[in-house]
Amino acid sequence: MKNPESHTELGKVIGIEGSVIDVRFPGAAPSINTMLRIGEREDIIAEVASLTGANTARALILTPSSSLALGAPVLDTKHPICVPVGEAVLGRVLNVFGEPIDLGEPLKDVEYRSIHGAPVPLLKRRVEMEIFVTGIKAIDLLSPIERGGKAGLFGGAGVGKTVLITEMIHNTVSEYQGVSLFCGIGERCREAEELYREMKDTGVLERAVLVFGQMNEAPAVRFRVGHAALTIAEYFRDERHQNVLLLIDNIYRFVQAGGEVSGLLGRIPSRVGYQPTLGTDLAELEERISSTDAGSITSIQAVYVPADDFTDPAATHTFGHFSASIVLSRKRASQGLYPAIDPLKSASKLLTPGSVSDDHYRIAMQVRQVLADYEDLKDIIAMLGTEELSENDRATVSKARRLERFLTQPFFSTEKFSGISGVFVTLEETLDGCAHILSGELNDQPESAFYMVGGLGAMERIGESVL
């Protein structure tokens, strides 16, 4: 449908409290999720969040304005917030209303769809057991992402979630045969501008759509921008029969915005101050991300973990929606092991016999076992040193320290800061390197030779050929 703007009877603002308004209509109040236009110029937009009477409604303001006043006229548009879909949005940067914010030409001849879509029925869903290769060793080896699945990047502030998301964009968008969609929830303006410029410079913007609800915008905008992005993704999946890569940074800001919205509406908070509808709010968004016979949506989402507490309700609720969980460790980041992925806490449902190759499963389990044994020996090493360990334990420590360093990797997105060229490492190179280290045949090589390289062949750059 074209952008619908049906003019009907006007209501009136009878109460204002922050970003919440109460509206009285001469007839029946509009239904929940209806978009309202307020003011003489109809330039203030709100969404009905609850009904407080037969002809009164409570709405959330999405475009705050100093001109908002008691008695202002309110237009019931009779439809929810809609966003444009189709080939015209490719290469564009949009806001929650689907309006271009990249200073480009206005969108013309586009179809508009409601941001409130229904999840795909269970019988129409399709489960794929195929690895979505990212080119990042630690992810592809220990927590492989399922094509058509959902993966979460969990970590506290400053451990590298956004850098990892940016690297995945670089590694997968250029190789990905489909449409890429980046949704920034609560993004800083600087991050949004840098991402747009980088995608434009690398030539991948033409097959991508960027949707932002930025940090300085109203909580209702940050709460709805994820739904707007999903509507665009669903169009390319269902109508164009394309595979969609959906990247979200940061899903915690969605939870945070939901808490603000809930508080504005006067709901009593539940555990640790979160909204009582936390589980429902997350499910309404996450359950729309699925694959069908028409196409797939593969989603990679950054999840901020408050105070590095993985028992926080926001973290525990989001864990349940993901098929792969990539946990970032502040301790590993402080040791300079980037990406700071914790190999023992990260997991994937795809890493099971039959889902990945026998070699992949065997090598991944051996790597985990060696790193777990090394973790158990660290207290003894700290007190007595490695000299007091048995010969087998010393061999385990040697392998583990080389594996830790081999799982580091220089990123394309950090070249300008580190001075080291980024690398894309295939799964075969990763498995081959880990197999050589596990065999013990590389124990005579210095540990530094394994740090910040791609495959084992890259170690020749320091003058030591290990092949």
Side-chain angles (χ1 to χ4, degrees):
M1 62 180 176
K2 294 295 182 181
N3 194 5
E5 292 295 344
S6 55
H7 293 265
T8 58
E9 58 195 17
L10 296 178
K12 184 170 66 174
V13 176
I14 60 172
I16 303 173
E17 187 172 350
S19 297
V20 175
I21 60 168
D22 288 319
V23 184
R24 178 182 291 123
F25 291 87
S31 58
I32 291 176
N33 294 334
T34 299
M35 186 175 82
L36 307 177
R37 290 189 173 274
I38 306 164
E40 297 294 340
R41 294 181 296 176
E42 300 178 358
D43 56 341
I44 304 172
I45 298 175
E47 183 183 59
V48 176
S50 64
L51 303 178
T52 55
N55 59 352
T56 57
R58 184 160 291 164
L60 293 164
I61 297 291
L62 285 89
T63 53
S65 173
S66 57
S67 63
L68 182 63
L70 291 174
V74 180
L75 172 68
D76 174 9
T77 64
K78 299 292 186 183
H79 64 79
I81 297 171
C82 296
V83 292
V85 295
E87 298 289 335
V89 301
L90 291 173
R92 304 305 300 270
V93 185
L94 311 175
N95 62 13
V96 69
F97 307 110
E99 300 167 344
I101 54 175
D102 53 9
L103 303 180
E105 293 292 324
L107 297 174
K108 298 178 181 178
D109 299 323
V110 290
E111 178 186 349
Y112 281 79
R113 291 192 175 185
S114 166
I115 67 171
H116 300 285
V120 176
L122 289 176
L123 294 179
K124 293 185 178 180
R125 297 191 180 205
R126 186 185 65 190
V127 177
E128 298 185 46
M129 301 303 285
E130 180 186 348
I131 294 179
F132 184 87
V133 178
T134 65
I136 299 171
K137 291 181 286 188
I139 294 176
D140 293 340
L141 174 69
L142 298 171
S143 51
I145 296 172
E146 173 190 10
R147 184 178 293 274
K150 288 170 277 194
L153 302 178
F154 291 83
V159 294
K161 296 185 300 299
T162 300
V163 171
L164 205 51
I165 281 278
T166 307
E167 185 69 9
M168 286 187 184
I169 291 173
H170 183 282
N171 286 2
T172 59
V173 169
S174 55
E175 303 289 331
Y176 195 66
Q177 300 302 314
V179 173
S180 301
L181 200 153
F182 180 87
C183 176
I185 304 178
E187 282 281 281
R188 301 172 183 86
C189 297
R190 169 185 57 80
E191 293 173 340
E193 190 274 334
E194 286 177 355
L195 178 65
Y196 172 75
R197 182 156 33 86
E198 184 173 327
M199 294 184 73
K200 191 173 183 179
D201 291 344
T202 53
V204 299
L205 188 62
E206 291 74 16
R207 298 299 301 167
V209 186
L210 279 65
V211 185
F212 290 108
Q214 293 172 196
M215 188 175 283
N216 62 315
E217 297 189 76
V221 170
R222 288 178 271 124
F223 190 57
R224 288 303 184 206
V225 69
H227 295 275
L230 265 171
T231 298
I232 299 173
E234 288 167 344
Y235 170 84
F236 284 106
R237 179 195 65 192
D238 299 335
E239 304 298 329
R240 298 292 181 176
H241 304 289
Q242 291 180 309
N243 295 324
V244 182
L245 174 62
L246 174 63
L247 301 117
I248 301 178
D249 187 10
N250 186 303
I251 201 68
Y252 177 77
R253 305 296 177 201
F254 168 78
V255 173
Q256 204 173 37
E260 291 183 55
V261 166
S262 180
L264 289 169
L265 294 174
R267 296 173 185 152
I268 299 173
S270 60
R271 184 182 164 207
V272 201
Y274 288 106
Q275 63 270 37
T277 56
L278 171 60
T280 305
D281 293 344
L282 264 174
E284 284 178 352
L285 184 73
E286 297 287 357
E287 289 305 303
R288 290 175 63 182
I289 304 172
S290 61
S291 298
T292 67
D293 291 332
S296 66
I297 300 178
T298 303
S299 179
I300 302 171
Q301 307 174 23
V303 186
Y304 168 69
V305 180
D308 295 336
D309 178 14
F310 284 88
T311 64
D312 187 271
T316 56
H317 274 81
T318 51
F319 258 121
H321 291 283
F322 297 136
S323 57
S325 300
I326 301 159
V327 178
L328 300 178
S329 161
R330 190 173 303 280
K331 182 179 179 182
R332 293 178 69 83
S334 66
Q335 294 171 341
L337 300 174
Y338 292 105
I341 296 171
D342 190 322
L344 301 180
K345 291 183 179 178
S346 301
S348 169
K349 78 168 190 177
L350 205 58
L351 195 59
T352 55
S355 299
V356 296
S357 68
D358 293 340
D359 284 343
H360 186 170
Y361 179 75
R362 174 179 52 81
I363 292 171
M365 291 301 102
Q366 289 178 356
V367 167
R368 275 220 178 111
Q369 187 61 55
V370 168
L371 293 176
D373 292 343
Y374 176 47
E375 195 68 28
D376 292 339
L377 292 170
K378 281 184 177 178
D379 288 340
I380 298 175
I381 295 171
M383 290 186 293
L384 304 176
T386 56
E387 294 76 10
E388 298 300 319
L389 297 177
S390 67
E391 186 176 340
N392 286 340
D393 286 345
R394 282 202 297 271
T396 297
V397 171
S398 179
K399 293 176 187 176
R401 290 180 63 83
R402 283 161 176 77
L403 283 170
E404 279 187 336
R405 283 150 182 77
F406 181 67
L407 291 177
T408 63
Q409 186 171 337
F411 281 176
F412 293 98
S413 56
T414 59
E415 282 182 5
K416 65 181 86 171
F417 308 111
S418 65
I420 305 174
S421 299
V423 290
F424 181 101
V425 185
T426 64
L427 181 58
E428 291 73 21
E429 288 178 310
T430 301
L431 295 176
D432 180 65
C434 291
H436 277 78
I437 296 171
L438 287 168
S439 69
E441 62 188 77
L442 302 179
N443 285 355
D444 59 333
Q445 299 295 327
E447 293 176 4
S448 59
F450 298 85
Y451 182 68
M452 285 295 172
V453 296
L456 290 184
M459 293 171 60
E460 295 179 5
R461 68 182 176 83
I462 63 169
E464 291 283 343
S465 175
V466 299
L467 297 176

